[in-house]
Amino acid sequence: MTDSQLSALTRADAAAGRIGVLAQFISLSVWQSGLIVQKLLVADSNVQSVMLLQLGLAAIFMLLALSIISGVPQFNRRNAANLAWGLIAPGLVFAFGIAGAARTDGVSVVMIWGTFPLVGAITARLLIREPLHWTFTVAGIVSFILVALLADSRSAGGAGDMIGNLLVLLSVVCASFGMVIGRIMNRQPKSWFRAATLQITGAAIGAVALTALLGFDPPDLLDRSNLVATLYLVLFMTVTNFLAYNIALARVGVATLSLNASFAPLIGLAAAWVILDTQLGVVDLVFASLIVASVAFPHLWRRAVTL
């Protein structure tokens, strides 16, 4: 290989890496913002109705796209497992997450979700015995203490709710279980769109069952703000998020993805400030900075050791 060819490959890899990082931050932004939009929408509806609208419409959109790209998926054991996987993530993730967001404040929601990289690593260790460096354990303990102190502070001030915070934490744990299951299910890199479509479809089936049990009380979609919020949840928090995250997975290393994910709380805080007009005090910003630092610590440590 000539120097010019090697240089061209290096530039191509660098460009792919930049695209991957951009895709990840798009994914983080639409997800963290979506958590706030869900909180707004459920105020005029209920948990199961928001779930049904968001997941049902997204599933229809992605099933149509999948049928055009590769045909209607056949019913077999693997596809059935993908549907069942979707009942956990995003099914239970949305059920607990929306229910929690309806009770607590936006700052607590995004801060709890900010611990997801650590919860995911610990869950993978417990379930599939993945190696876990001591820094993840230390960072996990510190970040949970910080999140608990922040949530307690906001609850004492009347902004948050501890039951709502626990529901959001259950949502994060379910997402972690879903991530571990995904590592087992998604062994075929080229089938990610089919797997994602069936995963969302499985969650939509769960939303149908939940709505049939508890009743359908949708938000007024003739109201422009509710319509825009619903379209955002479907097209951005669900469809765009899945697409962008998978683009990032294909182009960026896991270590970089994990480090970048530590910025999620800051993105969420910005979304809460812009969308909900949440007043952020110095204490909130200090806690947010410490949580970001604790989530990033294991990845920064590993990079420093390998230099």
Side-chain angles (χ1 to χ4, degrees):
M1 183 179 293
T2 65
D3 290 343
S4 60
Q5 290 174 322
L6 183 59
S7 178
L9 284 175
T10 302
R11 288 197 299 272
D13 288 342
R18 287 193 293 271
I19 291 172
V21 170
L22 176 62
Q24 185 188 10
F25 275 97
I26 290 174
S27 174
L28 288 173
S29 298
V30 296
W31 176 263
Q32 291 291 101
S33 302
L35 295 173
I36 303 301
V37 175
Q38 282 180 331
K39 178 175 175 59
L40 282 175
L41 199 58
V42 78
D44 294 325
S45 180
N46 55 35
V47 174
Q48 64 272 15
S49 299
V50 173
M51 277 184 65
L52 182 60
L53 286 172
Q54 180 174 354
L55 294 170
L57 292 174
I60 292 171
F61 179 87
M62 294 186 74
L63 282 169
L64 287 173
L66 181 64
S67 64
I68 293 171
I69 295 170
S70 59
V72 178
Q74 300 296 316
F75 187 81
N76 54 43
R77 184 177 298 177
R78 181 176 184 82
N79 288 343
N82 271 306
L83 289 172
W85 172 28
L87 291 173
I88 298 175
L92 290 179
V93 173
F94 279 4
F96 287 129
I98 298 172
R103 296 181 61 105
T104 194
D105 65 300
V107 172
S108 297
V109 170
V110 298
M111 287 298 102
I112 294 169
W113 267 102
T115 65
F116 174 70
L118 297 176
V119 177
I122 294 170
T123 303
R125 172 61 178 174
L126 293 175
L127 294 184
I128 56 177
R129 309 302 295 175
E130 281 196 357
L132 185 68
H133 195 265
W134 65 266
T135 52
F136 281 94
T137 304
V138 172
I141 293 171
V142 172
S143 64
F144 278 126
I145 292 173
L146 290 170
V147 168
L149 289 173
L150 174 62
D152 182 66
S153 172
R154 295 190 66 80
S155 296
D161 175 81
M162 290 307 295
I163 295 177
N165 294 334
L166 289 174
L167 288 170
V168 175
L169 181 58
L170 280 174
S171 177
V172 174
V173 171
C174 288
S176 301
F177 273 87
M179 180 188 69
V180 174
I181 295 171
R183 292 184 184 180
I184 300 170
M185 296 290 299
N186 263 338
R187 303 277 182 172
Q188 302 173 9
K190 293 183 179 180
S191 66
W192 67 266
F193 189 81
R194 175 183 58 79
T197 301
L198 292 173
Q199 185 183 359
I200 291 175
T201 303
I205 293 171
V208 170
L210 193 62
T211 302
L213 182 64
L214 300 178
F216 186 54
D217 182 23
D220 180 11
L221 297 182
L222 295 178
D223 184 297
R224 181 177 297 179
S225 61
N226 287 342
L227 179 61
V228 170
T230 302
L231 290 175
Y232 182 89
L233 294 180
V234 173
L235 297 177
F236 291 94
M237 187 184 185
T238 309
V239 176
T240 300
N241 175 51
F242 268 93
L243 294 175
Y245 186 64
N246 279 278
I247 289 172
L249 283 176
R251 290 168 171 79
V252 182
V254 174
T256 301
L257 285 172
S258 299
L259 179 59
N260 292 343
S262 64
F263 290 99
L266 297 182
I267 296 172
L269 276 182
W273 179 58
V274 172
I275 299 173
L276 297 179
D277 194 26
T278 300
Q279 300 301 310
L280 301 174
V282 175
V283 173
D284 298 323
L285 296 176
V286 169
F287 270 112
S289 300
L290 291 173
I291 291 168
V292 168
S294 65
V295 174
F297 169 67
H299 310 289
L300 294 175
W301 178 279
R302 291 168 67 186
R303 287 194 172 193
V305 168
T306 55
L307 289 179

